[in-house]
Amino acid sequence: MAEADVLGDEFAGAFEHAFARLRCEVEAACADTAKRDRPVRVAVGVKTAFAFAAAHPDATQLLTNETLAHGGERGVVLYQRMISYFASLLISARDPDSDEQGRSTVVEEATVGGVALLVGRRLACNRESELPAIACEAIQFILTPWVGIERARQIANEHCGTAAS
Amino acid sequence: MRLDWAGEQPSTRPPFFLPSLAGTMANESRHPGLDRTALAGDDRQRWRAAGRLAPPPVSADHELRRRLTAAWAESIAVRGYSRTTVQHLVDSSRISRSTFYDNFGSKDEAFVAIHTDALASLGMHVTVAAAAEPTWPRKVTSGLAAALEVAAGRPQEARLLVGDLFGAGPRMGYCHDLLLARFTPGLAAGRRSNRAPPLPSSLETALLGSLIGIVSSRVHSGVGDTLPALAPSMTEFILAPYLGVEKAKRTAGVLSAEAP
């Protein structure tokens, strides 16, 4: 095995397993809200992801901190694939009738990366119990570029009830 | 346009955490071909471009840190933080094991030292860029542009600064906390100077995390030189929670048009 390929197959398999579980939960939650407004679907997806992180801190720790800290180049590739996946979900939720279609996709990548850091920091400090509370802030953070500050806070409050006020 | 580095000289004074290496490296015989008085190539050119005739000798501290920065960046990319050993570092940086341990107690200590240096350098460039601007949106715009220029021009330092270290233990997570703490106040000033509505307490951490993620992905992919081109989009993204989406868009557009 090349030295660059230090992330063993067992670790990579565990990553894929955890990623698949998270993806299934988020996609199922979003499917249940398929007929609702896209900001609501995004909010439900974010809340579900944070609930997953709180319920499965080991798996989420593996998806975030451990993969990057131990994985070298392969770990970065796996991590970026996860970021790209969630960014693609946000991109697919863009309003086709607005000027959002012409925007740079770096915004979605940035928002997902920011939320991943929020989650990773909590897990690194064994503060996963705080995750459901900051889900509300994450919803507001993610939605603001698309629906504005007030609407983002309103939606976040409807789903979690603790947005900044 | 790249930042002008001409005025940046390597420090000749050892930082508080790094004892002087004078004499230590002079006695090092493993790599006799090394020019210990030379500036790094790029710095030397910048020095000459600024019209200075005689580049000053670089301190042994600077040379050691430069080599360790490169060694750490390479090793993190190849192995990750946790699997990097002191042997990897001394092999890659071509310093002796004894020199390493004369100056650092462990690989963690060496990392903290060069991470602190890189953060201080980045902070200086961002602060200088922001200080020249009269308003908060302009300070953010210029500071962000400077940060992206630094990351593009110094990918090894960028990799050390934005690499995810939480999984490597609390001490390394502390380095990340320093990075966030360094730039959070500058962003948070937007809460009071722009009559912003109530905002999430974690907003600045999330915004900086977004920036870290973007820089990290580009540097790891070997396309760090594309980072400055993202400045307009990232400026709009960062200003939006404070100014509102439309005003952020207008502000970023105006400031981008003014940029050289």
Side-chain angles (χ1 to χ4, degrees):
Chain A
M1 182 185 291
E3 188 175 22
D5 196 17
V6 293
L7 197 67
D9 288 343
E10 191 177 342
F11 192 107
F15 178 95
E16 297 293 358
H17 180 64
F19 184 28
R21 287 168 63 199
L22 172 60
R23 224 168 36 210
C24 282
E25 294 207 14
V26 171
E27 288 177 3
C30 291
D32 287 343
T33 58
K35 292 184 179 175
R36 302 190 65 180
D37 289 346
R38 66 192 177 106
V40 172
R41 294 202 305 274
V42 170
V44 168
V46 173
K47 191 176 177 184
T48 302
F50 271 77
F52 176 92
H56 308 288
D58 290 344
T60 311
Q61 175 82 352
L62 187 147
L63 288 171
T64 54
N65 300 327
E66 289 184 15
T67 297
L68 287 168
H70 303 285
E73 290 287 11
R74 192 176 177 188
V76 171
V77 169
L78 288 174
Y79 181 80
Q80 286 300 336
R81 189 155 60 80
M82 181 180 67
I83 297 294
S84 297
Y85 166 76
F86 286 112
S88 72
L89 288 185
L90 291 177
I91 293 167
S92 68
R94 284 182 172 188
D95 183 354
D97 299 324
S98 76
D99 64 354
E100 290 175 6
Q101 294 299 330
R103 278 190 190 172
S104 167
T105 57
V106 75
V107 173
E108 282 87 353
E109 183 187 346
T111 50
V112 173
V115 171
L117 182 124
L118 287 181
V119 173
R121 281 172 60 84
R122 294 305 187 287
L123 292 174
C125 303
N126 296 316
R127 287 156 52 188
E128 57 266 21
S129 60
E130 297 176 11
L131 288 172
I134 63 166
C136 193
E137 299 193 355
I139 291 170
Q140 188 177 348
F141 174 69
I142 289 173
L143 290 179
T144 293
W146 289 275
V147 301
I149 301 167
E150 293 298 337
R151 177 81 176 119
R153 192 165 72 228
Q154 180 188 351
I155 294 170
N157 267 326
E158 286 170 4
H159 285 268
C160 307
T162 56
S165 58
Chain B
M1 179 183 154
R2 290 274 177 269
L3 283 176
D4 177 12
W5 300 91
E8 184 182 356
Q9 302 174 41
S11 169
T12 54
R13 191 181 65 184
F16 70 95
F17 49 79
L18 191 64
S20 172
L21 292 180
T24 306
M25 291 189 72
N27 294 329
E28 192 172 324
S29 58
R30 286 182 62 188
H31 307 291
L34 176 69
D35 177 7
R36 296 188 182 83
T37 61
L39 284 170
D42 288 349
D43 286 339
R44 196 178 187 88
Q45 287 177 9
R46 290 181 193 111
W47 185 268
R48 283 179 172 152
R52 297 172 172 92
L53 294 178
V58 68
S59 70
D61 296 336
H62 176 76
E63 179 60 19
L64 175 66
R65 283 177 283 138
R66 186 186 68 75
R67 289 202 223 165
L68 275 177
T69 297
W72 257 119
E74 177 193 349
S75 194
I76 283 179
V78 173
R79 309 175 180 88
Y81 185 91
S82 300
R83 291 172 191 261
T84 294
T85 65
V86 169
Q87 193 60 49
H88 291 135
L89 297 175
V90 299
D91 287 347
S92 179
S93 62
R94 298 193 306 150
I95 62 174
S96 70
R97 205 174 174 82
S98 61
T99 297
F100 182 92
Y101 280 113
D102 280 347
N103 291 276
F104 309 106
S106 65
K107 70 166 190 175
D108 287 354
E109 198 174 310
F111 185 88
V112 170
I114 60 171
H115 186 279
T116 305
D117 275 3
L119 179 57
S121 175
L122 174 64
M124 180 192 71
H125 285 283
V126 170
T127 300
V128 167
E133 300 291 352
T135 63
W136 180 79
R138 282 180 173 273
K139 288 180 187 296
V140 171
T141 304
S142 294
L144 175 62
L148 293 175
E149 293 280 1
V150 169
R154 299 187 165 189
Q156 289 179 332
E157 289 183 16
R159 180 167 252 167
L160 293 180
L161 284 171
V162 302
D164 195 298
L165 300 166
F166 293 130
R171 193 168 183 195
M172 298 302 99
Y174 166 77
C175 287
H176 225 147
D177 288 345
L178 283 181
L179 176 66
L180 295 174
R182 176 66 182 79
F183 298 110
T184 291
L187 284 180
R191 292 174 182 254
R192 57 179 184 273
S193 65
N194 296 284
R195 282 179 282 176
L199 295 168
S201 59
S202 61
L203 175 63
E204 284 77 22
T205 302
L207 288 172
L208 289 168
S210 299
L211 191 56
I212 287 169
I214 293 296
V215 171
S216 177
S217 70
R218 300 307 187 276
V219 170
H220 277 292
S221 304
V223 292
D225 58 339
T226 64
L227 283 166
L230 299 178
S233 298
M234 291 305 293
T235 298
E236 180 183 332
F237 171 71
I238 288 175
L239 293 179
Y242 302 94
L243 304 182
V245 175
E246 290 306 318
K247 190 173 179 185
K249 189 186 295 184
R250 285 198 306 274
T251 304
V254 168
L255 297 180
S256 297
E258 289 177 1

